[in-house]
Amino acid sequence: MISKQQFEASVLDEIRIVKHLATKVLPGTLDWRPTPKQRSILELMQYVSQSAATFTEVILEANAGIFQERSELAKSVTPENFAAAMDAQADKLKELLAKFDDAQLNMEVDLWNSGHKTTKAELLFNSMLKGMTAYRMQLFLYIKA
């Protein structure tokens, strides 16, 4: 079993890696997207700048409606303030993760009203952390392309 401290360290490492990758984005490529319906590099950076903290808050509050509100805020992220936005997200994540006790982590919720309940701990691990890892890889692949 992974401890809360190990989980937090893993999430913060993903943020560190994403911040590093963002320094590798070449000038003039922010609007690049692999296909017309996929996010551009800038849109991906904006999304990643708030997604982990937002999803953690959604899980904590069991309120999926928080996504829409945070998505609008992310549009103000630029390459110049991206690192600061990621640092702010790391601080917010630490604050939010501290609010999860064992009872909260073991609480089952049906976050998407799908009829399927899962624990908040599983949502944090399988959706937030794995999602962060996937978006990190997507940014890496965008930069390589």
Side-chain angles (χ1 to χ4, degrees):
M1 179 181 284
I2 187 171
S3 72
K4 275 179 53 174
Q5 292 79 14
Q6 291 167 322
F7 180 81
E8 181 178 297
S10 186
V11 174
L12 295 177
D13 195 44
E14 291 298 326
I15 288 174
R16 180 191 61 78
I17 294 167
V18 168
K19 282 176 57 179
H20 172 73
L21 286 173
T23 68
K24 305 301 180 189
V25 174
L26 296 174
T29 63
L30 290 172
D31 291 330
W32 183 84
R33 60 186 80 231
T35 66
K37 292 187 178 185
Q38 288 181 276
R39 291 181 176 113
S40 68
I41 291 175
L42 177 60
E43 291 165 342
L44 179 59
M45 289 171 65
Q46 290 170 332
Y47 181 78
V48 168
S49 74
Q50 55 77 35
S51 62
T54 298
F55 200 66
T56 302
E57 188 173 1
V58 165
I59 294 167
L60 181 66
E61 303 295 329
N63 176 4
I66 296 170
F67 272 118
Q68 186 65 31
E69 172 186 323
R70 298 300 189 282
S71 295
E72 288 302 313
L73 294 174
K75 291 179 182 176
S76 66
V77 172
T78 65
E80 294 76 26
N81 67 13
F82 179 75
M86 292 299 286
D87 289 341
Q89 176 172 221
D91 291 341
K92 182 70 173 176
L93 271 166
K94 288 185 233 179
E95 173 191 318
L96 290 167
L97 290 172
K99 295 180 181 181
F100 284 93
D101 59 18
D102 287 343
Q104 273 274 1
L105 289 170
N106 291 316
M107 183 183 297
E108 289 190 337
V109 293
D110 180 3
L111 199 56
W112 313 115
N113 297 319
S114 65
H116 174 72
K117 286 189 173 188
T118 189
T119 67
K120 290 183 177 186
E122 290 173 294
L123 285 169
L124 283 169
F125 189 79
N126 289 326
S127 297
M128 189 274 280
L129 179 57
K130 287 182 180 180
M132 191 70 178
T133 303
Y135 287 119
R136 180 226 326 152
M137 182 55 72
Q138 185 177 5
L139 181 60
F140 172 78
L141 293 172
Y142 275 32
I143 292 167
K144 292 299 273 183

